[in-house]
Amino acid sequence: MAQLLRDRDAVLYGVADGVIGIGPDGRVSVRNKAARIMLGLPHRHESADIIGLPYTDARLPAPLVAAIASCDGATLRLETEHAALVATVHPVTRDGQDLGQVVLLRDVTTIETLGSRLDAVETMASALRAQRHEFANRLHTISGLLHHGDVAEARAYLGEVIESGPVREPVQNLAAIEDTYLRAFLGAKGVQAYERGVVLRVGDASALYGRLGDAQDATAVLGNLIDNALRAAVEGPAPRWVEVDLLSEGTTLHLAVADSGDGVEPGLDVFAEGVSTGALPDAPEHGQGVGLPLVRRLARTRGGEVWIADPGGPGNAENAHSGAVFAARLPGVLSTENGTTEGKNAR
């Protein structure tokens, strides 16, 4: 018997996934350390340990309790303060006898974080492809003019190219952003917005100096907020716009994203597990109730935060509607090489 218990503990505590066993009487019969950590449950030696309690009294997340109660097996996503989990409930029978249910918990935080960062990388790749195409067209034009001996025309065209910048990006006031990576990222988002009839602009109050030291987290958070604002603007009244404000404070990036939509529905917790505000027809990956909890968790792991600065909604006589404003604080994403950021903020 002792060897069987040691073998059971070796299996339960040797896996990274969380395991919770529910007996046929509805009581928690077993749970491993991974499940305790993932769900923030009491330690085994504490009086509030869930082992032996009915699963309805074990302080499990409400969606998980409902899935266990259904007794038909289910896979669902759970959102905790520090992690995103996928829970699978398996009914267990043997020789026709009901042995209860087993809940498996898998932490998918890293996978979702990488996916969000990959979205930002893909946006940057699209921007680079657009620039390459634009550069190739310009070089072909210059080559053709020189080939035919039109040196004066080639010189004039080259002057226009230098004045117009590397690529035409439909983002108003983009020159206010010094960081080349962030400029390219916003330029790519501006192209997406333009294709959907929305104007993307950088706010006049923006003052971002220095360079991005951690572009992946910054663009993951900013990109998700822009995507949500873009969806709201598309569904809202004309004129349709999205405004991004960026401020630097040492190595901390402060950002705000506002839109011309109808605001956040009263009483809707957009950061809650599985809550979705909808998706764009050509961007079904957005609006699955994953993005906002994910970017908030990304910010919090850095000691920052993401929040609703203004939910918007019905306006006044001068402004019939007011879109939402989302804000974020991301410490440590800016570089202060040569004192560039600190020096300019000290003025």
Side-chain angles (χ1 to χ4, degrees), residues 25-258:
D25 59 353
R27 295 181 177 272
V28 178
S29 58
V30 67
R31 66 109 184 97
N32 65 354
K33 180 179 179 180
R36 176 178 65 82
I37 294 174
M38 289 178 183
L39 298 178
L41 300 174
H43 195 275
R44 172 182 290 182
H45 302 296
E46 297 178 8
S47 59
D49 186 16
I50 68 171
I51 296 178
L53 294 178
Y55 70 87
T56 53
D57 299 331
R59 293 186 291 178
L60 301 177
L64 181 57
V65 172
I68 296 172
S70 67
C71 295
D72 57 0
T75 297
L76 64 156
R77 185 180 185 279
L78 301 174
E79 187 74 35
T80 68
E81 184 177 353
H82 303 290
L85 309 175
V86 171
T88 305
V89 182
H90 296 280
V92 181
T93 58
R94 186 172 184 179
D95 298 329
Q97 183 178 359
D98 178 19
L99 300 180
Q101 301 179 74
V102 173
V103 179
L104 299 180
L105 300 168
R106 176 166 297 177
D107 191 331
V108 295
T109 306
T110 302
I111 296 174
E112 290 189 353
T113 300
L114 290 175
S116 181
R117 290 171 174 169
L118 180 59
D119 287 342
V121 172
E122 289 178 346
T123 300
M124 282 302 305
S126 298
L128 292 175
R129 282 194 295 268
Q131 288 186 351
R132 183 184 64 179
H133 182 72
E134 185 79 5
F135 287 142
N137 288 340
R138 292 174 175 179
L139 288 175
H140 290 156
T141 301
I142 295 173
S143 176
L145 291 172
L146 293 176
H147 178 74
H148 292 287
D150 299 325
V151 178
E153 288 81 355
R155 184 180 293 111
Y157 179 75
L158 188 57
E160 294 177 2
V161 169
I162 293 174
E163 290 180 1
S164 64
V167 66
R168 297 182 181 90
E169 297 159 327
V171 180
Q172 298 178 4
N173 198 30
L174 187 59
I177 305 302
E178 293 185 356
D179 183 78
T180 53
Y181 189 100
L182 197 53
R183 281 173 59 97
F185 181 80
L186 288 173
K189 287 296 182 184
V191 172
Q192 295 176 0
Y194 178 79
E195 292 173 350
R196 295 168 185 153
V198 179
V199 173
L200 178 63
R201 64 184 184 230
V202 176
D204 294 333
S206 293
L208 178 63
Y209 305 109
R211 305 295 178 190
L212 283 179
D214 190 339
Q216 290 185 345
D217 281 359
T219 52
V221 173
L222 179 59
N224 187 278
L225 295 182
I226 290 177
D227 289 335
N228 288 340
L230 180 58
R231 178 207 56 78
V234 168
E235 295 180 352
R240 297 175 175 88
W241 52 266
V242 171
E243 180 172 301
V244 177
D245 287 280
L246 301 166
L247 295 172
S248 55
E249 180 187 10
T251 61
T252 299
L253 172 64
H254 299 271
L255 61 92
V257 179

